[in-house]
Amino acid sequence: MHRKTVPLAGIKTAGLADGEFIGYASVFGNVDAHGDIVQRGAFSKALSSGATVPLIWEHKADDPRNFVGEVVTAEETAEGLQIKGRFDLESDFGAAAYRQVKGRRVNGLSIGYYVRRAEKSAAGANLLLDVDLVEVSVVARGANDRALIGAVKTAADRSTTGFRAALARDALTRYHTETKGNVMYGNRIQTLTKERDAHLATAKSILDAADSDGRELTADEVQRVEHATAQAKALDEPIQNAQRDAEVYNTAKSLAAEIGEPLNGRDERPADGTGAHLALTGAAAKTLARRIATQMTPQDAKGRKALLPSGSTVTDVPMVAESPFALGRVALSVLDVLTVTAQSPKYSYLRQTLRTNNAAPVADGATKPTSVLGLIEVEAALHVIAHMSEPIPKYWLADAAGLERFVADELLYGLRQALEAQVLNGDGTGENLTGIANVTGIQTQAFATDLLTTTRAAITKVEVQGHTPGTFVLSPADWEKLELARTDTAGQLELGGPIDRAARKLWGVPVTLSLGLPASTGLLLDLSAADISTDHAGIETIWQDSHADDFAKNQLRARVEGRFEVNVTNPLGVVKIATVATP
């Protein structure tokens, strides 16, 4: 069963008989945190059935004492599903619940429902067209939902001013929370931000004045709050553009500092690219799967397993501070060694496509030579990488210990494999990333004599361009060929040869094995030449029973997804290696 809370209009009790209240149990037209939009008419079939809808305390249907009343009437208005409820004052729990609502200590409604019919909107949201209303719960307002502290209205007041006032309060509160701290320095950004804050302050002063007087907002005040909030939101895009300009400038400065002195030994950035790295391998991936399973299967008050039949959990993208190379370990994936940064869904970065150093002695009064840095701006966007499990019987999950963790572990492994393949070999078409091997401007190394000779020639190409070899990326089959090499240059199994089997190094450079490479291809990377971007939302895991006929068959599916992009800032620090001779 799904649940949906409405932290907007609150509950009204004034002017009604003891135990009665009026409120909105659902709101039409807005996108909630799960990407759902309840459409007007979604409750029509449920309301026409005439079935009694119970009133429950905080969705706790496992205790009959929590059935604190019932829904007397329900109707769909332009705003949402408006109900009239009645608490059972003859029961201790019902009377206590009514006192909490009457005293405005509890002031929210939430519905429990099943989806009978839904479809996708053009924007990708789930349009709920037919839902079965199972119960309505009275819920405590959230700590930050200031919109719930509204004046109590009489039942006879059917205008939408109070509802719009609650919407205006909620919009302002959430907008202010979402944008807080999203400010960078610079005259332009400070000016725009100051103007935005002035609009927010205007709206807040109107709300504070109404609260101080203990009254609701007037229609004129609602309009002024809505206008001020809209004015503040209109400044978001100019502020974001200014921030992107600042980011481009800072990137250019950083890149200029890096390429200005490539070989003088004073580059403070570690040659192995240590920093923040995705941790989707080994123990870190197991820990993430365990955390997802724990979140999706909490324990009830008696310590029993309480599987959530449908819901979602968002976990941070796991990070580690150092690459395995810095810790003396072998890498299990190229994702272990490429640094990762958080970005907005659309962003830009600078790429160096050419480096021509024309520095030379210059006579007095002569024109100084110009060096070509070859910078271009690249527009980039995060892409969704996702997959889901086949349908799983609900009772398998309820009865089999650790099954949720196994499913999460398998889905995370698949996500990692797909992401690695895209980072290395995405062709850039449709929603595919443009992988490192397919970026314009990277160097190439043809097969020469044997694989040992070829890989050594690739190192020379990187070093000639002033870059540092960070890792070879090879297929397991190519690494096997190198380990089994029996030539004079490779040596047998003695120490000192170009192949260090124990440390998995080739010519002193760490080797990362990958199944995501193009056929007969390897890579040599300067680890500062490329990185990965993701968003702030983390990796989302969703369990649902609303796919196809899963609900009717009592089955669940799990979906795992995240948003990523690969950025190649220095193509000259990448060599694409042919590992076999061209026929």
Side-chain angles (χ1 to χ4, degrees):
M1 183 174 69
H2 303 271
R3 295 171 182 171
K4 195 180 298 297
T5 301
V6 182
L8 295 174
I11 300 174
K12 305 164 182 56
T13 60
L16 300 175
D18 285 348
E20 293 185 344
F21 69 91
I22 288 177
Y24 279 92
S26 181
V27 176
F28 298 145
N30 71 310
V31 182
D32 66 13
H34 300 292
D36 295 336
I37 301 176
V38 181
Q39 295 289 82
R40 186 173 184 178
F43 297 98
S44 59
K45 186 181 294 185
L47 298 182
S48 65
S49 69
T52 299
V53 178
L55 185 67
I56 301 177
W57 181 261
E58 293 280 4
H59 294 293
K60 297 178 181 177
D62 57 342
D63 189 336
R65 293 174 298 178
N66 289 324
F67 285 72
V68 294
E70 63 182 4
V71 176
V72 180
T73 62
E75 63 174 332
E76 291 189 344
T77 70
E79 292 82 21
L81 179 65
Q82 187 179 58
I83 68 165
K84 181 178 181 181
R86 181 170 56 228
F87 289 98
D88 181 4
L89 299 183
E90 294 183 2
S91 74
D92 292 339
F93 276 44
Y98 178 61
R99 287 195 298 271
Q100 298 301 316
V101 170
K102 186 75 172 177
R104 299 179 64 191
R105 292 179 290 275
V106 173
N107 200 19
L109 292 175
S110 180
I111 61 173
Y113 64 97
Y114 290 112
V115 177
R116 289 193 287 217
R117 187 163 65 93
E119 63 182 32
K120 284 285 187 181
S121 71
N126 299 315
L127 300 179
L128 304 186
L129 305 177
D130 183 9
V131 298
D132 183 14
L133 183 62
V134 178
E135 52 96 354
V136 175
S137 281
V138 184
V139 296
R141 60 181 175 87
N144 292 323
D145 282 331
R146 184 168 176 255
L148 295 177
I149 311 174
V152 177
K153 293 175 57 182
T154 65
D157 185 354
R158 301 302 298 272
S159 72
T160 61
T161 300
F163 187 74
R164 284 182 61 199
L167 284 172
R169 287 173 178 271
D170 183 73
L172 177 64
T173 301
R174 285 195 284 179
Y175 172 72
H176 188 71
T177 301
E178 291 167 0
T179 56
K180 184 178 181 182
N182 191 23
V183 177
M184 295 176 62
Y185 292 103
N187 291 337
R188 182 184 174 196
I189 297 173
Q190 286 182 330
T191 299
L192 293 171
T193 302
K194 187 175 181 179
E195 183 179 351
R196 182 186 65 187
D197 290 345
H199 290 302
L200 293 175
T202 298
K204 184 176 182 297
S205 66
I206 297 171
L207 295 175
D208 290 344
D211 287 345
S212 178
D213 295 340
R215 60 176 177 80
E216 278 193 286
L217 298 176
T218 66
D220 176 67
E221 288 173 329
V222 170
Q223 186 175 6
R224 289 162 58 195
V225 170
E226 291 175 338
H227 178 71
T229 305
Q231 291 289 97
K233 293 181 71 173
L235 291 168
D236 275 351
E237 186 173 354
I239 291 174
Q240 291 170 359
N241 289 338
Q243 290 173 340
R244 282 193 288 268
D245 290 345
E247 289 172 2
V248 170
Y249 173 74
N250 291 333
T251 302
K253 284 182 61 178
S254 177
L255 185 58
E258 178 186 345
I259 66 178
E261 301 173 321
L263 296 175
N264 67 355
R266 288 188 285 164
D267 188 355
E268 296 180 355
R269 185 151 92 177
D272 65 354
T274 53
H277 304 270
L278 283 172
L280 290 175
T281 59
K286 299 292 184 184
T287 300
L288 179 61
R290 182 169 60 250
R291 184 168 44 173
I292 291 172
T294 301
Q295 288 176 294
M296 291 309 302
T297 56
Q299 303 296 308
D300 63 16
K302 297 182 180 180
R304 298 170 302 193
K305 185 178 181 181
L307 178 69
L308 296 178
S310 182
S312 67
T313 179
V314 177
T315 55
D316 293 335
V317 176
M319 306 285 185
V320 293
E322 294 183 287
S323 76
F325 299 155
L327 301 175
R329 301 196 300 260
V330 299
L332 301 178
S333 165
V334 73
L335 304 181
D336 290 347
V337 297
L338 294 179
T339 56
V340 62
T341 56
Q343 293 283 5
S344 58
K346 292 185 178 181
Y347 62 99
S348 62
Y349 65 93
L350 294 181
R351 173 181 294 168
Q352 184 186 26
T353 59
L354 179 66
R355 174 191 276 180
T356 304
N357 183 8
N358 291 322
V362 181
D364 289 343
T367 301
K368 277 68 174 178
T370 300
S371 292
V372 180
L373 303 183
L375 296 177
I376 62 171
E377 185 177 11
V378 178
E379 297 293 333
L382 300 180
H383 296 265
V384 175
I385 297 181
H387 64 148
M388 63 182 182
S389 69
E390 73 274 30
I392 303 171
K394 173 184 175 181
Y395 289 109
W396 286 13
L397 293 165
D399 297 339
L403 181 55
E404 300 94 329
R405 178 178 171 183
F406 170 78
V407 173
D409 192 16
E410 288 293 295
L411 291 178
L412 286 171
Y413 171 78
L415 183 75
R416 187 200 92 193
Q417 292 292 92
L419 175 57
E420 181 171 346
Q422 287 288 316
V423 166
L424 293 174
N425 194 36
D427 61 12
T429 62
E431 289 303 313
N432 291 301
L433 281 60
T434 301
I436 295 173
N438 294 318
V439 170
T440 302
I442 64 173
Q443 301 191 76
T444 59
Q445 175 60 55
F447 187 81
T449 308
D450 54 41
L451 194 50
L452 276 172
T453 305
T454 303
T455 52
R456 184 60 187 85
I459 292 176
T460 300
K461 286 199 169 185
V462 167
E463 292 177 334
V464 165
Q465 292 295 330
H467 288 282
T468 302
T471 185
F472 283 103
V473 185
L474 299 173
S475 70
D478 285 334
W479 177 241
E480 179 186 12
K481 292 177 184 177
L482 288 166
E483 282 197 310
L484 295 176
R486 291 293 184 270
T487 66
D488 292 339
T489 55
Q492 299 295 320
L493 294 176
E494 73 277 7
L495 298 177
I499 302 170
D500 186 336
R501 295 167 175 83
R504 195 189 287 169
K505 289 185 176 182
L506 175 61
W507 300 109
V509 177
V511 175
T512 303
L513 302 184
S514 175
L515 300 176
L517 288 164
S520 306
T521 302
L523 293 173
L524 176 60
L525 306 177
D526 180 336
L527 294 179
S528 68
D531 59 64
I532 298 172
S533 291
T534 185
D535 60 14
H536 299 270
I539 292 177
E540 185 178 48
T541 305
I542 299 176
W543 290 87
Q544 285 187 336
D545 58 6
S546 58
H547 185 275
D549 58 352
D550 286 351
F551 172 72
K553 294 182 177 179
N554 209 17
Q555 295 175 325
L556 298 175
R557 296 174 194 251
R559 184 176 83 238
V560 170
E561 64 182 46
R563 294 198 294 181
F564 305 93
E565 178 60 290
V566 59
N567 314 304
V568 181
T569 55
N570 288 284
L572 295 175
V574 178
V575 180
K576 185 176 182 180
I577 304 168
T579 59
V580 296
T582 303

